[in-house]
Amino acid sequence: MQTYLSENNLKTLLDRLIAGGKRVIAPRLDAGTPLYGPLADAAGVVLDQLPRRSAKEAFFPVCEDIMSYDKEGQQVTLTDVNPASFPETVLVGVRPCDAAAIPVLDAVFSWDYKDEFFLERRKKTTIIGLACTQADDACFCTAVGLSPADPKGSDLFLTPVEGGGYACETFTEKGETLVNGNRELFAEPNGAPALPPAEPQTEKFDLKKVKAWLDDHFEDPAWDGIAVRCVGCGACAFLCPACHCFDIVDEGTEKAGKRRKSWDACGFWKFTHHASGHNPRDLQPKRYRNRIMHKFKYYDDKFGQTLCTGCGRCIRFCPVGIDIAAIVSEISKK
Amino acid sequence: MTNTIDTSIYAAVTEAIQGEVRRILSEGSVSAVVGYAAARRKGSAQPIVITDAARAEELVFSAACVNNLAVYLTKAKKEIPKTGKIGIVVKGCDLKALVGLMGESQLKREDLYLIGVPCAGVLASTAQPSQELTGDTIAPKCRECDARLPAGCDFVPDQRPVSIELAGKYSAEIARLEAMTPAERWAYWKEQFKKCIKCYACRQVCPFCFCEQCLCDRNKPQMVETTPRPAGNTAWHIVRAMHLAGRCAGCAECERVCPMDIPLNLLNRKMAKELKELYDYEAGFEVREKGPLAMYDEKDDQSFIK
Ligand code: SF4
Ligand code: SF4
Ligand code: SF4
Ligand code: SF4
Ligand code: SF4
């Protein structure tokens, strides 16, 4: 279904959703840093900056409690967190590179083990995507087969049009329900042309060729050259919309505490450190190799998808300037 | 744009670095050189390690050469060959870290070949690598730099001292924090620490965070809560500030790389200020075996013992 939504009506919609008890997550400034987070009111929404962290945290928070324990004498009480208590959510202003990563994550979180925390939030969230009209030289969604106007992962997709406001298209039942429930805010399409989409400059990767090289080059001297400068932090993984590793730890005292799930990263030395003291990925090039392998080979082997949507966050924020687009394009030329 | 900073010297510096590296690598007087190379994004640069004289022409120096390369010479980076003498491109601020590492017996002067860069400043993390260096785009640390011409290097491409007058930001910000009540200050830092996601980029780029196992990674037993939550975050930042007190060379790398924009260098600068006032000690100017927090002197301030 195609409609037109003015900027004012978008704000009215968000305020109405908030007033109706829905959690509305949107890009806003958090002490000056653009981040997705729950909105107090529509005035706080910031749609012209790519949030520093991706939208995955709406489903997979930086840190969440998944259980608590209490001990009284010999009596231990375990209390599960009930995912049924997660709020109905509308996630707004999601860039195509972020939205496209969400169905990619569905695959891993609903595979042999069904991650109820992720899946329950997923079920209860309606995603309003937003086309990009500006890209920088770290953006490369087009190189991995997406685009600044790709509605993949969005229930409802907004494209800015000339003269202001958005052309709005629904792609799922969730999207239709949202529009139908607020019909008077959505007008007939006004025929105004869409603003030109952003044009990321990176050449398209031949992902098949990349994978073919990776299939055969687990051992290759090239890895040392690629990763020698990596300092092994988690910045790239933590900012990435598709990275999804986590750790589970119990924190608290002997008497009471919580079991917590929080983000983890394959760049960390500790990630593969065995209790025996042995670390199979003992050097950083092996850890960085894993990052590339996971994104462009293992995930494809297992789920038939690429674990990178070209958002460029890891490029912008790698402390030592490691550029995954440059690396993948180099591999595709091998 | 206003107040452009003159970086014309960088072209000559680049050329001189290339020539010198070609010479030392082909002569065999060093086994590897850590420097900067141009990267894909317009104007960007990244660290590079070269062992082959033929690759010397890849080296550059520009306002995008923000990294403190000293981190690659610490024992935390096992990938870099540490046999024989190693060449390294250093700005004055980076040199302070190397000096500190020598004092901590991590490096020996005779194993290093220092290529010092006369520096007009580098870009702030908020700037795009292609931006011009101006009073607005310059890294905050460069505003109050006292080391634009590195001293005691083996090779300095151009001895012309660079001088730039810019108002300091850290000093002003520290003064603002010092004027707060303890409760206000605590509230300020709580807000900042809340943002931390424990990506540890700050630790990984710090030349002084070279511990084989960081206390904050320990889980047998767990010393500090590892999850990114207020309690563990606060503990992590206090542990780090204390471990860096008297050692931090002020390269501001920790702050530059923080993806959550936490002003980490303010903590470090404040600690440095305290050490200056209490012990008349400044890190990074001369090789010293022990900092004030690692030794006892009868003249030490004892007023805090109540
Ligand atoms: S790997 Fe990098 S560019 Fe790809 S989706 Fe993750 S953060 Fe974005
Ligand atoms: S690639 Fe960059 S961001 Fe990722 S672990 Fe290495 S240094 Fe950190
Ligand atoms: S602090 Fe000084 S030496 Fe360091 S980059 Fe800035 S101007 Fe150059
Ligand atoms: S604590 Fe920060 S400023 Fe100090 S040496 Fe480490 S990275 Fe540099
Ligand atoms: S770099 Fe920033 S977010 Fe990451 S651990 Fe350090 S303070 Fe926290």
Side-chain angles (χ1 to χ4, degrees):
Chain A
M1 183 174 37
Q2 302 237 14
T3 50
Y4 170 81
L5 182 65
S6 70
E7 270 142 36
N8 269 336
N9 282 3
L10 172 64
K11 295 207 162 154
T12 308
L13 174 68
L14 301 185
D15 279 330
R16 195 187 275 183
L17 292 166
I18 296 167
K22 285 227 167 50
R23 186 171 67 138
V24 173
I25 296 186
R28 84 260 187 276
L29 293 180
D30 187 340
T33 308
L35 292 172
Y36 289 101
L39 281 187
D41 59 62
V45 66
V46 172
L47 295 177
D48 61 349
Q49 294 179 52
L50 181 72
R52 194 66 59 82
R53 299 196 306 247
S54 79
K56 74 178 174 195
E57 62 187 290
F59 312 98
F60 173 38
V62 184
C63 178
E64 65 179 314
D65 295 345
I66 57 175
M67 194 186 78
S68 58
Y69 63 88
D70 280 288
K71 191 166 170 243
E72 269 295 328
Q74 288 309 305
Q75 187 62 38
V76 180
T77 318
L78 301 180
T79 316
D80 282 329
V81 165
N82 182 8
S85 65
F86 294 161
E88 292 282 338
T89 300
V90 179
L91 180 54
V92 192
V94 183
R95 300 303 179 99
C97 51
D98 273 0
I102 301 164
V104 173
L105 292 180
D106 286 343
V108 67
F109 282 116
S110 58
W111 170 52
D112 61 342
Y113 181 81
K114 309 246 173 297
D115 186 306
E116 51 182 341
F117 302 98
F118 180 92
L119 294 173
E120 186 68 16
R121 289 195 182 91
R122 184 77 172 93
K123 199 171 83 194
K124 287 183 165 156
T125 304
T126 304
I127 298 168
I128 305 183
L130 173 69
C132 289
T133 51
Q134 274 194 331
D136 68 11
D137 58 0
C139 291
F140 63 97
C141 58
T142 43
V144 290
L146 293 161
S147 90
D150 198 320
K152 182 183 175 194
S154 295
D155 297 303
L156 186 68
F157 193 73
L158 304 177
T159 308
V161 295
E162 269 173 33
Y166 307 94
C168 163
E169 193 165 355
T170 53
F171 288 90
T172 65
E173 241 182 83
K174 275 183 189 167
E176 306 234 331
T177 312
L178 186 73
V179 174
N180 289 334
N182 299 278
R183 216 34 250 175
E184 67 285 11
L185 298 176
F186 294 84
E188 285 301 306
N190 68 358
L195 290 184
E199 291 180 36
Q201 296 301 314
T202 314
E203 232 175 274
K204 206 164 162 29
F205 303 146
D206 185 339
L207 292 170
K208 284 212 174 64
K209 256 184 98 186
V210 170
K211 184 170 159 353
W213 188 84
L214 295 174
D215 282 341
D216 292 339
H217 294 84
F218 185 77
E219 299 289 354
D220 193 280
W223 291 115
D224 294 332
I226 288 169
V228 73
R229 59 181 79 91
C230 175
V231 293
C233 63
C236 52
F238 283 11
L239 302 187
C240 178
C243 278
H244 51 264
C245 287
F246 57 85
D247 191 14
I248 291 182
V249 290
D250 292 342
E251 291 180 333
T253 64
E254 198 195 330
K255 291 226 169 300
K258 308 257 192 228
R259 174 157 297 173
R260 296 187 174 125
K261 173 179 165 194
S262 61
W263 292 354
D264 203 348
C266 61
F268 291 146
W269 162 86
K270 200 175 73 161
F271 188 81
T272 44
H273 189 224
H274 293 180
S276 65
H278 173 64
N279 195 337
R281 292 187 207 137
D282 53 349
L283 294 176
Q284 205 58 41
K286 297 186 190 171
R287 303 197 269 274
Y288 193 78
R289 172 181 63 195
N290 180 73
R291 180 171 172 77
I292 299 292
M293 286 280 182
H294 190 190
K295 292 196 172 290
F296 297 94
K297 168 177 160 55
Y298 305 148
Y299 209 78
D300 193 338
D301 282 340
K302 195 148 199 78
F303 302 115
Q305 309 200 53
T306 299
L307 200 60
C308 168
T309 61
C311 73
R313 286 188 179 88
C314 59
I315 301 174
R316 289 180 207 100
F317 289 94
C318 173
V320 293
I322 290 185
D323 182 334
I324 197 168
I327 291 167
V328 175
S329 97
E330 196 182 304
I331 292 177
S332 71
K333 289 187 190 110
K334 277 184 196 284
Chain B
M1 210 58 236
T2 52
N3 53 13
T4 303
I5 292 166
D6 180 13
T7 53
S8 53
I9 190 179
Y10 290 169
V13 167
T14 295
E15 205 173 305
I17 290 175
Q18 293 178 353
E20 183 64 2
V21 169
R22 202 173 295 121
R23 185 185 72 78
I24 55 179
L25 278 174
S26 46
E27 256 176 18
S29 52
V30 302
S31 58
V33 173
V34 188
Y36 306 93
R40 178 189 66 107
R41 295 177 71 196
K42 188 161 175 268
S44 67
Q46 62 187 4
I48 186 181
V49 182
I50 60 171
T51 50
D52 179 359
R55 291 184 63 197
E57 65 202 48
E58 290 175 37
L59 294 168
V60 297
F61 191 80
S62 70
C65 297
V66 291
N67 308 74
N68 179 354
L69 302 175
V71 71
Y72 291 108
L73 299 188
T74 63
K75 66 180 179 212
K77 287 296 291 175
K78 298 192 173 52
E79 295 74 35
I80 311 293
K82 305 245 169 33
T83 48
K85 210 172 187 161
I86 305 230
I88 181 167
V89 177
V90 278
K91 307 185 285 284
C93 51
D94 307 340
L95 183 63
K96 291 187 196 172
L98 285 177
V99 166
L101 289 169
M102 287 176 213
E104 296 187 14
S105 307
Q106 297 299 309
L107 291 173
K108 291 203 194 82
R109 179 64 181 89
E110 59 268 30
D111 293 339
L112 299 175
Y113 189 84
L114 302 176
I115 302 167
V117 179
C119 184
V122 295
L123 287 165
S125 60
T126 45
Q128 291 280 325
S130 55
Q131 270 178 292
E132 193 187 14
L133 194 68
T134 68
D136 298 321
T137 60
I138 196 168
K141 68 172 175 181
C142 303
R143 303 183 76 91
E144 36 215 294
C145 176
D146 55 6
R148 294 187 185 276
L149 196 60
C153 291
D154 298 297
F155 176 79
V156 178
D158 193 319
Q159 296 285 354
R160 256 179 301 170
V162 199
S163 88
I164 296 156
E165 288 302 319
L166 290 167
K169 273 199 175 146
Y170 289 120
S171 40
E173 193 57 6
I174 287 174
R176 187 179 76 83
L177 288 175
E178 282 174 345
M180 290 179 172
T181 65
E184 287 167 341
R185 212 154 42 228
W186 182 234
Y188 171 82
W189 283 112
K190 263 188 14 198
E191 256 323 280
Q192 296 298 333
F193 296 156
K194 200 184 78 195
K195 300 192 288 184
C196 175
I197 51 175
K198 294 264 179 83
C199 70
Y200 293 124
C202 51
R203 177 182 75 185
Q204 297 306 103
V205 291
C206 176
F208 293 96
C209 278
F210 54 70
C211 291
E212 292 274 353
Q213 186 170 30
C214 175
L215 181 79
C216 296
D217 273 347
R218 284 199 74 98
N219 54 4
K220 301 177 290 185
Q222 188 184 67
M223 310 296 280
V224 173
E225 288 196 355
T226 56
T227 56
R229 294 182 66 263
N233 286 356
T234 304
W236 152 236
H237 287 290
I238 291 175
V239 165
R240 213 179 101 82
M242 289 309 292
H243 280 180
L244 271 306
R247 303 171 65 226
C248 166
C251 65
E253 281 287 87
C254 47
E255 175 168 297
R256 172 183 73 83
V257 303
C258 177
M260 293 302 117
D261 303 331
I262 301 174
L264 294 168
N265 204 34
L266 279 183
L267 277 181
N268 302 324
R269 292 303 89 219
K270 171 66 178 165
M271 295 308 270
K273 191 172 169 222
E274 296 277 316
L275 287 190
K276 173 86 180 143
E277 282 162 14
L278 285 172
Y279 305 103
D280 193 27
Y281 177 88
E282 273 179 271
F285 287 102
E286 49 183 291
V287 177
R288 275 181 287 202
E289 245 172 58
K290 281 199 171 112
L293 296 190
M295 59 185 191
Y296 173 75
D297 187 324
E298 284 192 3
K299 293 196 294 277
D300 282 351
D301 176 74
Q302 315 211 336
S303 60
F304 64 94
I305 304 173
K306 303 237 160 76

